[in-house]
Amino acid sequence: MSSTLDVVNPYSLEVIGSAETSEWDQVDGMLATAHRLFRQRDSWLPAYQRIEILKKTARLMEARFEDLAFQIANEGGKPLVDARVEVMRAIDGVELCVHEVGQMTGREIPMDLTEAGSGRLAFTQREPIGVVVAASAFNHPLNLIVHQVAPAVATGCPVIIKPAPDTPLSCLDFVGMLHEAGLPPDWCRAVVCNNEVAEQMITDPRVGFFSFIGSARVGWMLRSKLTPGARCALEHGGAAPVIVGEDADIDEMIPLLAKGGLYHSGQVCVSVQRVFAPPSKAQEIAQKLAAAAKLLKVGDATDATTDCGPLIRPGEVDRVEEWVSEAIDGGAELLAGGKRLGPTTYAPTVLLNPPANVRVSQLEIFGPVICVYSVDSITEAIETANSLPFAFQAAVFTQSLETAFQAIQRLDATAVMVNDHTAFRVDWMPFAGRRQSGYNTGGIGYTMHDMTQDKMAVIRL
């Protein structure tokens, strides 16, 4: 029996829409249909049809650009200016899938390297891996869906996507546009369901590939329960470090750090969180970051003048408030923010020298908080940056090639940005967490590779 989930604006908490939820019997039917489609190879969609569907989807997204941006802001709390950037990235991501379809090639395998292999010709080709089941996060409610669903469509995998319960509307719209563009509905279904049904779906033996974006606790737990043979990709978060050299251009750095740390009120998995600076510069950096933070307008994300929207739920405001208070009680100097502005908003916050053992120094804050630490050397900064069980993207600010390469070589990160913030990303680059921060690699082309598998033909001549 289906029921309805109300979707609220995270700033006003007013209901803005609803989504029909599914129970296991309905999801079971979707899995059965998807699995049947994959097993019936004569029914696979040829590449030219998949390309045409994705091209039409991109055109539909362009035609509904402002509506999609407003919906991202309305259901997810991302400021409208940033929501528009997300829509553009999502369109580009669909078009990138079109390009990558043509890159899904195999290769010749040389066979006559030994006498045993001589007289044979061998080559590989890429095939879809099977039914893809994906579970997504709230913070990029359209672009994350594109990253999980469009590669499945491009590679010819039937896909079932579960959006975050806070932000299902953008997902439902995207899946609807795929269908409108000509994708047979059974090849892509959106499922809004409770956690019990979701876990049963994800761990079902008919699933070939599981894509997850969300908390490490949930992601690693689900991975441990996957059916034997199922592949997966997990994208979690971190506590992104920034190393500041003695020669860094502070005035050039401040707007980048402020954007990287306070964009979407810090609700980004690679948001700037820990800034390690020389003792002679830490106070100045923290004060200038605080001045930048105080200029930001916090409010309803659908207001075009808003810089920082709400946190996704009131409970997240409570948590951020608790973590910041703990740091201040432990001796951190508060230079900006440090207070809730309402039931759903928290002021952009800058802390100087929080203790090493408090949560803002140990865990991902996922809120509008930047911490600046005074460290005596680059070596100490890198050692401290590497001390957590999370490793995702990192950054270094310096005018010295030696310092830059020291950070590149020694930071435990999948990407090190030089003179840029940790949240930089383009959608064709590899994007991944190490250790507890994730498993396998995201990015359109990399995801498409993971959703396919090699098959080799060996022909005796």
Side-chain angles (χ1 to χ4, degrees), residues 241-254 257 274-285 372-382 395-408 411 416-420:
V242 176
I243 311 298
V244 180
E246 286 278 4
D247 58 352
D249 186 330
I250 293 177
D251 289 334
E252 182 180 334
M253 175 178 64
I254 294 302
L257 291 184
R274 299 178 296 152
V275 179
F276 300 99
S280 62
K281 296 183 179 293
Q283 181 82 35
E284 178 187 359
I285 290 169
V372 180
Y373 303 85
S374 177
V375 291
D376 291 326
S377 67
I378 293 289
T379 299
E380 179 189 349
I382 292 173
V396 58
F397 283 85
T398 181
Q399 302 302 311
S400 162
L401 275 176
E402 181 180 357
T403 301
F405 276 98
Q406 183 181 5
I408 291 169
L411 279 168
V416 178
M417 311 302 167
V418 179
N419 294 325
D420 208 345

Side-chain angles (χ1 to χ4, degrees), residues 142-202:
L142 179 62
N143 199 40
L144 293 184
I145 299 297
V146 166
H147 272 256
Q148 293 172 288
V149 171
V153 174
T155 54
C157 293
V159 57
I160 301 173
I161 174 72
K162 176 194 173 297
D166 298 292
T167 55
L169 303 180
S170 295
C171 173
L172 294 172
D173 275 358
F174 179 68
V175 172
M177 283 185 284
L178 283 171
H179 296 163
E180 187 177 343
L183 182 69
D186 287 340
W187 281 89
C188 179
R189 294 291 190 185
V191 170
V192 179
C193 62
N194 62 36
N195 290 338
E196 181 181 347
V197 172
E199 182 175 331
Q200 194 169 356
M201 172 177 68
I202 289 161

Side-chain angles (χ1 to χ4, degrees), residues 1 22-30 197:
M1 179 70 70
S22 297
E23 299 299 328
W24 172 246
D25 60 338
Q26 296 165 293
V27 175
D28 181 49
M30 294 179 196
V197 172

Side-chain angles (χ1 to χ4, degrees), residues 27-104:
V27 175
D28 181 49
M30 294 179 196
L31 276 171
T33 300
H35 189 249
R36 185 171 61 252
L37 284 172
F38 175 68
R39 299 296 292 176
Q40 294 174 345
R41 293 181 174 235
D42 289 344
S43 69
W44 285 5
L45 300 175
Y48 75 88
Q49 286 187 10
R50 289 179 263 133
I51 288 170
E52 188 61 29
I53 288 164
L54 290 167
K55 284 181 176 180
K56 287 181 178 178
T57 301
R59 301 293 82 76
L60 289 170
M61 295 170 75
E62 288 175 343
R64 300 168 194 178
F65 189 99
E66 284 300 325
D67 289 342
L68 290 170
F70 183 84
Q71 185 151 272
I72 290 168
N74 203 23
E75 70 171 341
K78 176 180 286 186
L80 201 52
V81 61
D82 298 316
R84 292 188 177 111
V85 173
E86 179 174 343
V87 177
M88 183 57 68
R89 283 182 59 190
I91 295 169
D92 289 344
V94 174
E95 293 176 335
L96 186 58
C97 285
V98 171
H99 170 77
E100 290 292 333
V101 171
Q103 310 306 308
M104 291 196 308

